[in-house]
Amino acid sequence: MIHAADSDTSHYAALTSLDLAPLWEYQTNLFPREPSRRALAFLWRYDDIRPQLLYFGGALSMEKAERRVLMLINPGLREQAATVANIYAGFQLILPGETARAHRHSANAFRFIVEGQGASTTVDGEKTSMKCGDLLLTPGWAWHDHIHEGDGPMIWLDGLDFPLINVLGVQFFEIFSERAQSLSRSVDRASRLYAHARLNPVIQHATRAAIGHASPITNYPWERTEAALHSIGFDVEGADRTGVVLDYVNPLNGGAVLPTINCRIVHLPPGFDGEAQRRTASEIVYVVRGSGTTIIDGQRFDWKAHDIIAVPIWSTYRHLNPSSSEDVVLFTYSDAPVLHALGLYREDAGHPEFAKVAP
Ligand SMILES: [Fe+2]
């Protein structure tokens, strides 16, 4: 006589051989009560990164590297080479006289300029200069190359969505026929075209960028960002809780600058002691200026200019600026547009359970 347990065993074995699986064994893992993140809250210090980057500036030619970049890999996401779920950060170095050859890929990308001067980027035949604090967009499948005609090292933050694109399995990559593109449009054309806020031009023919839901602007220059910070100050409702938060905007639809990535500036006044918040979006924070603290799920991270902080999905965090005289400016980016598009965006702020955690 066959016992029920023996029967089960043979049936479980049969399932495996048939490439079937019993859902009841996986239920908890597949449907957790809350997001079960693998990314860790993490801080990368620019003081650690910069010397390594400069070393490879001498040791690795641009002919040997498609791009000379040090990737910021989250210890919980090593397999995907991601900084947080879905998105990535890296620091790229280009030296005087060098060209990072033209290529394109499905992944959307941006650069936020960290240091140096005299380099330029060409995106789909339109050239723009790269100055500290500028945000340059290279939407998915746009040709882009970088040329450094100035002095000294040029370093910028690269932000990409390739972890998401690779999970979806839809990445394409192509190298241009020449090392650099020839210019097919006037310098900074799109940036000038869309630089007038409430006076947007009417475009008769849809551009590739518009079709892809990316902003048509190549460069959001720092001088305009700084002018906005100066003009707005801290006289904004909620600034005492979240700081002054400014989204970089796609002028064609008022939405995020890239289909998968939202970029923003967060301005914290002296003495800022922020409200705890959490979101289903993953966020990467780059410190433009100032120094302070971020507390993520009770863990304290003290940072200063050019450091990077990873804020994983659904982690409770808040920022502090302990200085009595200096402001703090953060550049942050997240995968929020993806979550909004799929109806998966949630956020909590100011809830009693987010009682402030002592720094
Ligand atoms: Fe690229």
Side-chain angles (χ1 to χ4, degrees):
M1 183 179 171
I2 299 173
H3 295 290
D6 295 336
S7 175
D8 278 359
T9 302
S10 66
H11 280 282
Y12 276 115
L15 292 181
T16 303
S17 68
L18 292 168
D19 293 310
L20 297 171
L23 174 61
W24 58 90
E25 297 282 336
Y26 293 82
Q27 183 80 28
T28 309
N29 285 339
L30 295 178
F31 298 91
R33 282 175 54 80
E34 292 198 337
S36 58
R37 55 180 175 264
R38 284 181 294 153
L40 306 181
F42 208 79
L43 168 70
W44 287 265
R45 299 184 190 286
Y46 191 62
D47 284 349
D48 295 332
I49 297 167
R50 190 176 187 276
Q52 302 297 339
L53 200 49
L54 292 178
Y55 167 79
F56 284 103
L60 183 74
S61 72
M62 289 302 291
E63 282 65 39
K64 287 186 178 171
E66 184 67 22
R67 294 290 190 265
R68 192 190 287 115
V69 179
L70 293 181
M71 305 193 295
L72 278 54
I73 306 296
N74 192 294
L77 298 171
R78 291 201 171 103
E79 207 170 301
Q80 299 94 322
T83 307
V84 288
N86 296 331
I87 51 177
Y88 149 96
F91 281 102
Q92 180 162 172
L93 168 68
I94 183 169
L95 295 172
E98 289 185 333
T99 297
R101 68 176 174 178
H103 70 201
R104 64 179 176 178
H105 33 70
S106 306
N108 293 280
F110 70 78
R111 341 259 152 232
F112 192 90
I113 314 308
V114 173
E115 64 171 276
Q117 55 184 358
S120 63
T121 289
T122 300
V123 181
D124 277 347
E126 182 176 319
K127 181 179 179 180
T128 189
S129 59
M130 307 170 86
K131 299 190 185 73
C132 285
D134 289 359
L135 171 67
L136 274 65
L137 304 182
T138 49
W141 214 234
W143 292 111
H144 53 284
D145 56 71
H146 315 291
I147 300 176
H148 191 359
E149 298 167 306
D151 301 319
M154 187 88 199
I155 298 175
W156 61 79
L157 167 68
D158 279 326
L160 285 95
D161 61 4
F162 73 69
L164 173 66
I165 301 301
N166 289 340
V167 163
L168 296 174
V170 292
Q171 185 79 265
F172 291 86
F173 177 84
E174 190 175 355
I175 293 170
F176 195 59
S177 55
E178 308 289 331
R179 192 156 181 82
Q181 302 165 73
S182 53
L183 304 188
S184 58
R185 289 182 279 179
S186 56
V187 172
D188 268 328
R189 176 177 173 274
S191 303
R192 286 182 284 106
L193 203 58
Y194 292 100
H196 310 290
R198 285 161 285 188
L199 286 172
N200 262 2
V202 175
I203 303 297
Q204 299 299 332
H205 303 286
T207 62
R208 185 207 54 73
I211 294 166
H213 306 296
S215 167
I217 295 175
T218 305
N219 190 345
Y220 292 75
W222 179 254
E223 61 186 16
R224 286 181 179 271
T225 306
E226 184 73 70
L229 294 177
H230 181 74
S231 173
I232 295 168
F234 296 104
D235 186 16
V236 179
E237 188 177 334
D240 58 324
R241 294 182 281 113
T242 61
V244 174
V245 181
L246 304 176
D247 277 334
Y248 290 90
V249 169
N250 175 350
L252 297 181
N253 59 17
V257 292
L258 292 168
T260 51
I261 300 176
N262 183 44
C263 295
R264 57 178 38 163
I265 289 286
V266 179
H267 195 197
L268 309 179
F272 179 77
D273 184 350
E275 180 181 88
Q277 48 193 305
R278 65 178 176 180
R279 303 185 178 90
T280 50
S282 299
E283 192 170 45
I284 297 171
V285 178
Y286 165 75
V287 183
V288 179
R289 72 168 178 244
S291 57
T293 299
T294 298
I295 297 171
I296 309 175
D297 286 340
Q299 196 177 353
R300 178 184 174 131
F301 299 92
D302 295 322
W303 37 257
K304 62 179 187 168
H306 310 317
D307 290 349
I308 294 273
I309 306 119
V311 182
I313 297 170
W314 210 234
S315 49
T316 302
Y317 74 98
R318 67 189 183 96
H319 300 306
L320 297 99
N321 174 13
S323 171
S324 59
S325 57
E326 304 293 326
D327 64 351
V328 162
V329 178
L330 309 173
F331 168 82
T332 77
Y333 59 108
S334 80
D335 60 350
V338 178
L339 299 159
H340 280 296
L342 299 176
L344 296 171
Y345 186 82
R346 289 194 196 193
E347 66 178 10
D348 278 327
H351 191 280
E353 73 182 75
F354 297 143
K356 287 183 177 177
V357 184

